[in-house]
Amino acid sequence: MDALDQKVTVSRRTAQHSPVRSVRRINLGYFVRPTSETGGPEPRVEPVLAYLVRHDAGLLLFDTGIGEADPETEAHYRPRRRSLEAALAAAGHRLDDVSVVVNCHLHFDHCGGNPLFAGRPVLVQETELAEARAGGYTVDALVDFPGVVYEELRGEAEVWPGVHIVPTPGHTAGHQSLVVEQQDGTVVLAGQACDFASDFASGQLARHAALEGVAAPLPGHPPWLERLSAFEPRRVMFAHDGSVWEPAEFPEP
């Protein structure tokens, strides 16, 4: 058994007594992706979804919603925002209840509420923060604001027992996802690692076919799928798709 196998095996065993209490999706609005970006004949309305992880150690918020952008960006995406305070209240929480923020990446539709959490740690990949601070990437005021406290990561990290950050580059070089080990199975909060659950499903099936030795040509799949698959997720949830991926009824090769 190699080190990776051993780590995941231990993780599965301890997940039976997981300190994770719940994972809850919260709706923070939507935007209209224009036809020029959809690859089809029509624009597409996409949700903006964040997630609350209740843990014995505290309350983690994964993404914080749509920030205020410049007039050109606002006209381009026509966002409709739901207040983070209202969304948290509907889930039985307040802003002060949040212990730590994790952003999958720092585009304005994922870090819009970050300034509400001055003084609390925001966990982000070092690569992502550097790119965001280089300019022309996002809304600068959402990145550096009074009281901001970043914890810059270089790769994987365990936030709390059973809660792992895993780099999933692609949409941005510093994109990251959250793996949450619950007693009823592991949940992956994939952010925008894939736009849609169907994209994730296609990648997983391509990976499965390759592992079974199906001859080329085959579609490619992101390298990070190997790492996420090692956690044997029972559910994968996304930032811009309300659908949830669940594994098909066939075993790993």
Side-chain angles (χ1 to χ4, degrees):
M1 181 182 292
D2 64 26
L4 176 58
D5 288 338
Q6 185 175 18
K7 178 179 178 181
V8 175
T9 300
V10 171
S11 180
R12 290 174 193 148
R13 184 167 61 246
T14 57
Q16 296 174 8
H17 307 285
S18 172
V20 177
R21 298 180 184 179
S22 66
V23 176
R24 178 163 181 169
R25 183 166 62 191
I26 58 174
N27 177 9
L28 295 179
Y30 63 88
F31 63 95
V32 182
R33 191 175 295 280
T35 305
S36 60
E37 296 182 9
T38 65
E42 294 183 318
R44 182 173 62 237
V45 182
E46 297 185 11
V48 174
L49 304 170
Y51 295 87
L52 284 170
V53 178
R54 292 180 64 239
H55 190 282
D56 287 350
L59 185 68
L60 181 151
L61 179 60
F62 185 71
D63 282 352
T64 62
I66 314 171
E68 297 287 340
D70 60 86
E72 182 180 357
T73 302
E74 293 285 319
H76 186 76
Y77 288 114
R78 295 178 282 162
R80 294 293 183 270
R81 299 170 177 85
R82 184 186 187 200
S83 120
L84 188 51
E85 294 92 333
L88 288 173
H93 293 288
R94 302 172 302 163
L95 289 172
D96 288 344
D97 295 336
V98 175
S99 309
V100 60
V101 172
V102 177
N103 294 117
C104 65
H105 65 293
L106 294 175
H107 285 164
F108 86 106
D109 54 325
H110 295 264
C111 66
N114 282 21
L116 298 171
F117 299 103
R120 272 162 281 185
V122 177
L123 277 59
V124 66
Q125 293 293 318
E126 178 183 74
T127 301
E128 182 70 17
L129 184 58
E131 190 165 358
R133 283 175 165 166
Y137 180 84
T138 187
V139 177
D140 293 345
L142 300 176
V143 176
D144 287 306
F145 50 86
V148 64
V149 178
Y150 283 113
E151 290 189 13
E152 298 182 49
L153 307 177
R154 295 182 180 180
E156 288 194 32
E158 186 169 27
V159 183
W160 294 321
V163 180
H164 309 266
I165 289 174
V166 176
T168 48
H171 178 67
T172 70
H175 192 283
Q176 60 186 11
S177 298
L178 199 70
V179 177
V180 183
E181 296 175 318
Q182 297 191 109
Q183 290 186 6
D184 65 344
T186 295
V187 176
V188 172
L189 306 179
Q192 206 171 345
C194 291
D195 284 341
F196 306 111
S198 57
D199 293 338
F200 187 91
S202 295
Q204 270 290 49
L205 195 55
R207 170 184 169 274
H208 186 85
L211 288 173
E212 286 201 319
V214 175
L218 284 173
H221 61 274
W224 46 256
L225 267 180
E226 302 296 336
R227 182 63 181 121
L228 293 185
S229 297
F231 287 97
E232 294 187 356
R234 301 304 301 169
R235 291 177 295 280
V236 181
M237 307 171 81
F238 306 89
H240 296 314
D241 186 1
S243 298
V244 176
W245 178 89
E246 294 180 335
E249 294 301 320
F250 50 73
E252 284 287 309

